[in-house]
Structure formats: structure tokens, C-alpha cells
Amino acid sequence: IISNKIYILYRSSYNLRKGENYLIKILSKLKNNDSFKSKIVFNLIGKSSLHMFLKENKFLFKNYNHVKNDMELSKVYQCSDFYLNTSIQDGGPMMINEALASGVPVITFPTQLAKEIIIDKQNGYLINKNFSEELYLKFIWLAKNNRSQINILKKKTYNFSKIKFDIKDNIKTIVTI
């Protein structure tokens, strides 16, 4: 990891409800923004049209293709500053839980689970309104942000997850119910 870069994990899958079309639309607006392109690195899992788009437009990215086991997946999360979820129709994407459990803040549209678990500016960012425009502005903000601000958000995410995913507390709650 290079400390002046911002690493965004994205699981690519071209399916309209997964929202990758929003991401490509936004990145099309940023393809001539050298400041953004020199600061943001996409950590991709899987292959889709996004992979080719990033390559053709000279964005920085690392493709992990298919992750073979939980240990590899954990390493990918550990070398990411954010997990980007562009899904617009998902009841509860597992990747949001995985990211939070890894202490990685989530940038997401307001899917069912995301609305319940993402606390804006505490463990990530909810993109609520005009998806494309708000995500575009979040990317611009990230490119201008410094490492210490991102590390503070990652620490908040880790602390949130420590409490939210504590097995002893969750068992006590279940037993009480």
C-alpha cells in the first residue's frame, strides 16, 4: 500500500441491479481528471466491463480476479481503504458485513441492509439522493482527502464492528429474547 493513494475495493459484476453502470458513468466524467486518477486505486475482485474500462482509460487498479479462500479475501480487505457497493437492489449484500468486520468503511447506495447498518461518516457513507452525482462528489472528496482523515474513519469503523459483531453480546441479546 502506498500511503498517498486511496484504495477502493469493488467486486465487479455487470448486472444492472448491481449498479456497475452508475460507476462507469461516473468514472467517464473523471477519466480526464489526472489528480483523481493518480490518487485512487481500485482493488477489483472479478472481471467485467469495468476492468476493461479502467484499463482503456488508464485508471490505477489491481485485479484480484477470483479470490480462492477467506484468507485471501481478508488480505484484499486489509489493503483497501473503502469498500464500494453500487448495488441498487440487494436485501443484504454479504460484502458490506465483510468490509465492516474487516474495519473497512463502506460507500454504498441505500439498500436494505446498508440503511440499517451504515452510519454516515461513522463507518462509511450512504449515497442517498442522485446516485451518480452524489457518488461523483464523494470520489472528488476522496481524491482531495488526506490519509489521517481516512485512518480516523477506518478506526471508527473498526470500533463500530468490534461492538456490532461481538459474539458474546449478540448471544446475550438472543438469550434475552
Side-chain angles (χ1 to χ4, degrees):
I1 293 179
I2 301 169
S3 66
N4 68 337
K5 305 279 188 212
I6 308 297
Y7 294 84
I8 299 175
L9 175 59
Y10 186 77
R11 284 192 169 172
S12 48
S13 164
Y14 197 78
N15 175 326
L16 285 180
R17 69 180 185 83
K18 294 294 184 183
E20 190 169 294
N21 54 324
Y22 288 111
L23 181 56
I24 290 173
K25 180 179 175 184
I26 293 159
L27 293 176
S28 293
K29 292 164 75 173
L30 292 165
K31 67 183 179 185
N32 295 319
N33 184 328
D34 292 335
S35 172
F36 176 85
K37 288 171 66 173
S38 68
K39 181 114 185 209
I40 304 296
V41 180
F42 288 93
N43 289 334
L44 299 179
I45 296 176
K47 276 202 172 189
S48 68
S49 55
L50 178 63
H51 176 266
M52 290 309 298
F53 176 87
L54 294 173
K55 190 174 187 174
E56 288 169 4
N57 290 286
K58 297 179 175 58
F59 283 89
L60 300 174
F61 71 97
K62 177 165 177 48
N63 192 340
Y64 291 92
N65 222 349
H66 296 287
V67 178
K68 295 176 182 84
N69 56 49
D70 289 343
M71 185 60 78
E72 280 186 26
L73 182 60
S74 177
K75 287 178 183 177
V76 175
Y77 277 110
Q78 288 172 14
C79 66
S80 299
D81 295 305
F82 291 93
Y83 169 66
L84 175 62
N85 176 51
T86 57
S87 191
I88 55 174
Q89 291 179 327
D90 242 328
M94 178 60 88
M95 295 74 66
I96 290 177
N97 287 326
E98 291 171 349
L100 293 176
S102 300
V104 176
V106 175
I107 301 170
T108 184
F109 296 146
T111 59
Q112 190 59 41
L113 175 68
K115 290 188 292 189
E116 295 173 11
I117 201 165
I118 301 301
I119 302 166
D120 205 44
K121 298 180 183 88
Q122 292 299 308
N123 62 354
Y125 300 98
L126 280 172
I127 306 297
N128 285 308
K129 299 171 188 147
N130 178 337
F131 294 157
S132 294
E133 185 60 26
E134 198 172 336
L135 186 54
Y136 170 79
L137 292 173
K138 188 57 65 189
F139 276 163
I140 296 298
W141 178 83
L142 284 175
K144 292 178 182 176
N145 228 314
N146 66 41
R147 174 60 46 199
S148 64
Q149 290 173 305
I150 289 167
N151 287 342
I152 290 168
L153 182 60
K154 289 180 80 169
K155 180 99 172 134
K156 286 180 183 179
T157 301
Y158 174 77
N159 290 335
F160 168 86
S161 298
K162 221 164 61 171
I163 294 165
K164 184 73 174 174
F165 300 119
D166 184 278
I167 191 130
K168 291 176 186 171
D169 284 345
N170 287 324
I171 288 173
K172 286 178 193 174
T173 302
I174 292 168
V175 169
T176 305
I177 294 173

